[in-house]
Amino acid sequence: MASSKPPSQRQLRVGEQIRHSIAEVLMRGEVREPLLNAQPITITEVRVGRDLQNATAFFLPLGGDSALEVGAALGRASPFIRSRLAAMLRLRHVPKIVFEVDNTFDYASSIDRLLSSPKVQQDIRTPDETDESSSH
């Protein structure tokens, strides 16, 4: 069951450290997965569980075409990435990392399209705007 509490400062700090470190490992090309070295990948966010034992890293391949393939490659490389994080971070225990495609940009663009549709625009105009547009 998902917790309704917001993440603690420690969770946020550890998540951000992990995000930077994963990005660094990928940028250096340390992972022996050809797909991960051939395509730029953005790690957009890392959410760490309350117990700091598990983390979800959200990623977005630039170009976005091969998100499923990149996700599978990141999943295969996860143990190696975790071992590199253990060497880079000062944590007693490096969380187990699961990689998920970040869909927030797709969601935001769908909201933008919805808000800019003529039907919605007609509903959100203020009375002043309606009077001005009808007088022109």
Side-chain angles (χ1 to χ4, degrees), residues 10 13-14 17-18 21 52 84-95:
R10 178 149 173 80
R13 187 174 60 247
V14 169
Q17 288 175 338
I18 291 172
S21 298
L52 304 177
R84 291 297 301 134
L85 294 180
M88 296 169 78
L89 299 173
R90 293 179 45 181
L91 293 174
R92 216 175 294 168
H93 176 78
V94 176

Side-chain angles (χ1 to χ4, degrees), residues 22 26 31 33 35-36 41-43 57-61 67-81 97-101:
I22 293 172
L26 293 174
V31 180
E33 283 284 339
L35 183 61
L36 300 180
I41 300 164
T42 301
I43 304 298
F58 293 92
F59 71 92
L60 197 60
L68 292 177
E69 293 86 5
V70 170
L74 284 167
R76 289 188 301 273
S78 183
F80 173 77
I81 292 171
I97 301 169
V98 175
F99 290 92
E100 285 188 26
V101 178

Side-chain angles (χ1 to χ4, degrees), residues 123-135:
D123 290 341
I124 61 175
R125 282 196 192 110
T126 62
D128 293 342
E129 290 174 341
T130 308
D131 292 342
E132 287 176 17
S133 63
S134 61
S135 65

Side-chain angles (χ1 to χ4, degrees), residues 8-124:
S8 68
Q9 282 299 114
R10 178 149 173 80
Q11 285 174 278
L12 295 172
R13 187 174 60 247
V14 169
E16 194 60 17
Q17 288 175 338
I18 291 172
R19 185 182 74 79
H20 281 282
S21 298
I22 293 172
E24 191 174 326
V25 168
L26 293 174
M27 185 181 67
R28 288 183 187 166
E30 295 179 27
V31 180
R32 291 189 180 143
E33 283 284 339
L35 183 61
L36 300 180
N37 294 324
Q39 181 174 16
I41 300 164
T42 301
I43 304 298
T44 56
E45 180 183 5
V46 175
R47 293 184 192 156
V48 180
R50 286 226 170 264
D51 61 0
L52 304 177
Q53 299 294 310
N54 297 297
T56 303
F58 293 92
F59 71 92
L60 197 60
L62 296 182
D65 310 349
S66 55
L68 292 177
E69 293 86 5
V70 170
L74 284 167
R76 289 188 301 273
S78 183
F80 173 77
I81 292 171
R82 187 175 179 206
S83 71
R84 291 297 301 134
L85 294 180
M88 296 169 78
L89 299 173
R90 293 179 45 181
L91 293 174
R92 216 175 294 168
H93 176 78
V94 176
K96 179 182 177 209
I97 301 169
V98 175
F99 290 92
E100 285 188 26
V101 178
D102 189 346
N103 294 320
T104 55
F105 295 107
D106 294 337
Y107 182 71
S109 66
S110 70
I111 296 295
D112 271 350
R113 278 193 306 276
L114 182 64
L115 289 175
S116 62
S117 74
K119 186 158 181 78
V120 172
Q121 285 296 313
Q122 122 189 356
D123 290 341
I124 61 175

